[in-house]
Amino acid sequence: MGKQTVTLPNRSVHVEQVVDGRPGRPGIGLVYRGLGNKPAAVLFRNGLEQELTDFLRRQLPARPTDQALTLCIRQLRVGEQLNGLTEDASAALAADVYLHAADGYHLVQSVGASTSGRALETTALHAGHVASLLQQCLEQLTPPWPPTAQGPARTLTQLTADEAPIATSLGRSSTAGPTAAILRESPRRGVYRNFTQFLTNRPDSSVTVLTDTVAVRLYGHPAKYLWSGITRVRPVLVDGQGVRTHPKDLWGFSDGYQAYVQQGGSYFPLTRQHDFFTFVGEAPLDVNFMKAKSKTQASVMITGGVRVVPVPDHTGEPTAYALDMRTSQLAPYPDPLGRKPAQPDTAYVYLYRRPDAAHPEAIPVFVDNQEIARLSPGQYVELAWPYYARILALRTGSQTVRTTGYLLVPDAARPTYLLLTPPAATTAAPVWQTVTNAQGEADLTSIDLSGTN
């Protein structure tokens, strides 16, 4: 990181040290090296703590009037993803900021940021990405901190304990649970042009947002069959002149009931997981398959044999992802870098229909090709899901024909309520809709009182 820079105009602080407070101190990530794209671990030559400490001391020399800070790194991820002829490089950083006072270290703020870039070869981007994240995090600082905003004094050893404070609200520390507005309120209708609008539940409502369905275009690829019957949606923006656009560069959007996040130009529904969100998106380019394909092609050219790739292609398959509420990074779920996950437990999903005299027919519901229920109007079923972080694939239809499906990772910390609505037309498919816990509980209570279940 010798050529990188960090500037903080009008600063009144300096970083005296960086400590590694990541639970278990897992690896930082994997990148690809050489023509064979061999995976290699990301390492700091002098260790994370020493290298980042030396770097920030050089960039922000201590002055007599500066407040001394210690950055306790809670998350640091650096990685690459092959994307055809190019590579996508990404990085995310989250830290707790402690003020060093005479009696110890006081937590004053939490910061976090993420970044990404694309190039033919992304190796040269990583050092700049880490420096950029440090810059963004330091820019979030709001000194001077009043005494009432300073947490209790801790020792330097206590800073790196696994029981670290977790912030979920725009860079400010919190030990009292989730505070981001999107965790306290139902999502408001509009578009999220950035992560901050999502966290604060303040989408851009200056344009009208409509929800449109799109076909899954994975023809000829094995992943096509896994996505078969899963409804894809996209936002349609209508301006004051009635002009419609289909943006692909939004952070996400909300229809007023369900929030969606954008990944690779597609939009996927978010599922609440206590104090963060997950979604089921598409797996990236399968590196192992591409390597095997290249070797097979070379062998066919030399020997004239039959072209059969010995490994399956997992590109585009349904994959669970988590939205990091501190850095906004979208990462595979559970964390492949070895962070200690939440205690696995059984999740409970409630599938139900409201009373509907216009559509009295029962709707069959399937899980893994097994029929679990036939839901008539005013009925519900409780589904226990004891598979931690595993995708639940729900479908309706018949034993041989699946009409529509819904993919999610259920939350083990609280029940999930899914409302099943009959189609508006005979040729349409039933609609799955995630509802809030309050709405789901009220609907099920009403069904119980009516005695129809």
Side-chain angles (χ1 to χ4, degrees):
M1 295 182 60
K3 297 181 180 180
Q4 308 304 319
T5 60
V6 167
T7 59
L8 204 62
N10 304 317
R11 67 183 174 94
S12 60
V13 300
H14 76 273
V15 179
E16 64 176 7
Q17 62 183 327
V18 177
V19 296
D20 191 351
R22 298 173 301 145
R25 297 194 176 187
I28 297 172
L30 297 175
V31 296
Y32 298 105
R33 292 285 184 265
L35 296 177
N37 289 319
K38 293 183 178 180
V42 177
L43 300 171
F44 286 97
R45 182 173 301 173
N46 299 314
L48 182 154
E49 294 182 334
Q50 188 63 53
E51 190 143 343
L52 294 187
T53 295
D54 293 344
F55 174 71
L56 289 175
R57 284 178 177 175
R58 290 195 305 269
Q59 300 299 312
L60 307 172
R63 300 170 300 190
T65 58
D66 287 342
Q67 292 179 292
L69 301 179
T70 291
L71 295 187
C72 185
I73 304 297
R74 299 301 184 189
Q75 296 174 212
L76 180 57
R77 295 169 174 165
V78 175
E80 294 177 359
Q81 179 178 305
L82 298 182
N83 189 15
L85 297 177
T86 62
E87 295 177 359
D88 294 328
S90 62
L93 171 68
D96 289 323
V97 181
Y98 288 86
L99 179 65
H100 191 182
D103 60 342
Y105 298 85
H106 297 260
L107 175 65
V108 292
Q109 207 168 328
S110 290
V111 292
S114 64
T115 189
S116 62
R118 176 177 293 183
L120 292 175
E121 172 56 50
T122 57
T123 301
L125 300 180
H126 301 306
H129 279 177
V130 173
S132 174
L133 295 180
L134 289 170
Q135 173 84 42
Q136 294 178 56
C137 287
L138 292 173
E139 288 174 347
Q140 296 173 20
L141 299 179
T142 57
W145 294 276
T148 55
Q150 299 177 18
R154 308 179 77 188
T155 66
L156 188 61
T157 301
Q158 288 176 321
L159 301 193
T160 58
D162 286 351
E163 294 76 19
I166 296 177
T168 57
S169 57
L170 297 178
R172 284 175 170 76
S173 63
S174 170
T175 56
T179 58
I182 195 64
L183 293 170
R184 293 184 279 105
E185 307 165 353
S186 298
R188 298 172 184 170
R189 189 184 190 92
V191 297
Y192 307 118
R193 301 192 183 277
N194 52 57
F195 181 55
T196 300
Q197 289 184 335
F198 171 76
L199 275 185
T200 58
N201 199 18
R202 293 180 179 176
D204 180 359
S205 56
S206 61
V207 293
T208 300
V209 183
L210 304 177
T211 301
D212 187 21
T213 57
V214 293
V216 179
R217 301 183 182 278
L218 290 169
Y219 301 110
H221 193 280
K224 160 193 171 184
Y225 304 101
L226 298 174
W227 286 104
S228 177
I230 305 300
T231 302
R232 293 286 187 91
V233 302
R234 62 179 176 179
V236 180
L237 306 188
V238 185
D239 63 18
Q241 287 71 45
V243 177
R244 297 191 173 203
T245 57
H246 299 88
K248 288 189 175 182
D249 57 349
L250 297 174
W251 188 92
F253 77 101
S254 168
D255 58 10
Y257 301 96
Q258 174 69 59
Y260 296 82
V261 66
Q262 187 259 134
Q263 181 206 38
S266 298
Y267 294 87
F268 301 96
L270 289 167
T271 300
R272 175 80 176 269
Q273 301 281 342
H274 183 53
D275 58 358
F276 67 103
F277 293 86
T278 59
F279 69 97
V280 178
E282 294 183 2
L285 184 70
D286 191 328
V287 178
N288 292 329
F289 173 80
M290 296 304 295
K291 289 180 179 179
K293 181 179 178 181
S294 297
K295 290 181 179 179
T296 300
Q297 290 175 333
S299 175
V300 169
M301 292 177 64
I302 295 173
T303 65
V306 180
R307 180 186 173 188
V308 178
V309 183
V311 298
D313 183 5
H314 297 291
T315 304
E317 289 185 357
T319 302
Y321 290 89
L323 167 61
D324 192 314
M325 298 296 284
R326 302 184 77 173
T327 67
S328 79
Q329 189 180 47
L330 306 178
Y333 178 72
D335 190 342
L337 298 182
R339 288 195 307 164
K340 188 187 302 181
Q343 180 66 34
D345 203 349
T346 299
Y348 290 90
V349 181
Y350 291 89
L351 316 172
Y352 73 100
R353 289 182 59 186
R354 291 181 177 138
D356 184 2
H359 299 87
E361 66 282 357
I363 299 178
V365 179
F366 294 81
V367 174
D368 293 335
N369 295 322
Q370 297 293 321
E371 183 176 324
I372 63 166
R374 287 178 174 263
L375 287 179
S376 297
Q379 289 187 335
Y380 69 86
V381 62
E382 178 188 78
L383 171 63
W385 191 246
Y387 311 106
Y388 175 72
R390 177 173 153 184
I391 296 173
L392 169 62
L394 293 165
R395 296 184 183 274
T396 62
S398 64
Q399 188 67 40
T400 57
V401 179
R402 305 291 182 266
T403 58
T404 185
Y406 193 84
L407 303 178
L408 76 156
V409 178
D411 183 4
R414 41 181 257 159
T416 300
Y417 295 89
L418 280 174
L419 172 63
L420 185 58
T421 303
T426 57
T427 57
V431 178
W432 298 92
Q433 179 185 327
T434 302
V435 300
T436 64
N437 279 51
Q439 183 63 59
E441 291 170 3
D443 287 343
L444 264 60
T445 299
S446 177
I447 291 173
D448 285 337
L449 292 176
S450 68
T452 57
N453 193 61

